[in-house]
Amino acid sequence: MLDFSRFEVLTFDCYGTLIKWEDGILGCLHRVLAAHGKDTDDATILRLYGDFEAEAERGEYRLYREVLDSVVRQFGEQLGFTPTDQEVASLADSLREWKPWPDTVKALHALQGRFRLAIISNVDDDLFAATRPQLEVEFDQIITAQQARAYKPSLKIFELALSRIGVPAHRVLHAGQSLYHDVIPAQSLGLATVWVDRPSARRGVGAVKAAEALPDLQVHSLAELANACAQQRSSSG
């Protein structure tokens, strides 16, 4: 078990970890596919999404909205249809409707009583601004891919986060749903990591590229993380 007293700041991935992004992704893409007579299971959609998103985030930086537009176009190329302009834009447009996991807000409030909280997210500033009110807490820092002009797993976004947070890496605990985007790069910079292995139609992977890593702690919800922290504090106090 992690010694939570080591940490001053908890940083979080947002979409997937705090927000039920698979519901948003699948809801939107199933509508697009159905409009073109395509029927694909959830696990396949998530696998393709993870591959297409990673491909779109390589190379020269572009806005996340453009990344999501590219993902929809790649689904069309893969499955043999041409999405309309409205369908191309629909995935990014739907993001503001994506909802938190049921345990997210309560757990964030509990953790905020002990730690400074920050967001490190592969998103545009305006897209996160639409999500932020749903999380119902004030974050000490919000670091986006748009600000870093790079997407996780690039170290640039984590390096920007550390410079903004202003504490040594060993005093930061990073929690994320993705081994690929979060655990591996955070560990490479000396951050301790929590893998929030949320339920998924693609168990243990989700809507990201498959990867292998050994996080410092594995939980299945944010509530589990908050409870582990509270229990340790109670037993030591």
Side-chain angles (χ1 to χ4, degrees), residues 15-185:
Y15 301 97
T17 305
L18 307 181
I19 297 291
K20 297 178 70 174
W21 79 323
E22 287 188 19
D23 284 1
I25 290 167
L26 292 169
C28 179
L29 290 176
H30 273 304
R31 286 191 296 272
V32 173
L33 296 182
H36 296 274
K38 306 298 180 181
D39 183 18
T40 306
D41 65 274
D42 288 354
T44 299
I45 290 175
L46 296 178
R47 176 179 60 79
L48 292 173
Y49 178 95
D51 290 343
F52 294 158
E53 184 193 61
E55 180 62 32
E57 289 173 349
R58 289 195 187 98
E60 188 174 348
Y61 170 79
R62 53 178 164 171
L63 289 170
Y64 192 57
R65 177 175 288 276
E66 296 173 13
V67 168
L68 294 180
D69 291 354
S70 173
V71 166
V72 178
R73 292 192 186 96
Q74 288 183 79
F75 268 94
E77 292 173 9
Q78 177 76 22
L79 300 178
F81 67 91
T82 302
T84 66
D85 290 346
Q86 184 176 6
E87 288 167 345
V88 167
S90 65
L91 186 55
D93 289 343
S94 74
L95 189 145
R96 67 183 65 249
E97 307 298 332
W98 299 359
K99 302 301 181 185
W101 289 94
D103 66 313
T104 291
V105 172
K106 183 178 180 180
L108 287 176
H109 279 294
L111 292 166
Q112 192 173 42
R114 182 167 179 188
F115 305 99
R116 293 162 55 196
L117 306 184
I119 292 286
I120 305 176
S121 180
N122 277 356
V123 74
D124 301 337
D125 291 341
D126 67 313
L127 293 177
F128 181 76
T131 296
R132 185 174 183 173
Q134 299 188 64
L135 300 175
E136 299 183 24
V137 297
E138 286 299 315
F139 293 96
D140 188 70
Q141 294 288 338
I142 295 168
I143 297 91
T144 67
Q146 184 175 7
Q147 295 163 21
R149 298 191 65 79
Y151 289 99
K152 297 180 292 184
S154 169
L155 299 186
K156 286 179 64 176
I157 189 168
F158 288 98
E159 290 167 345
L160 177 62
L162 287 172
S163 70
R164 294 254 189 93
I165 291 166
V167 302
H170 70 271
R171 297 283 288 163
V172 179
L173 176 62
H174 182 66
Q177 177 267 336
S178 172
L179 296 174
Y180 171 75
H181 288 106
D182 290 285
V183 171
I184 293 172

Side-chain angles (χ1 to χ4, degrees), residues 4-5 7-8 110-116 229-230 232-233:
F4 291 104
S5 67
F7 306 112
E8 182 178 340
L111 292 166
Q112 192 173 42
R114 182 167 179 188
F115 305 99
R116 293 162 55 196
C229 180
Q232 186 179 99
R233 189 175 191 181

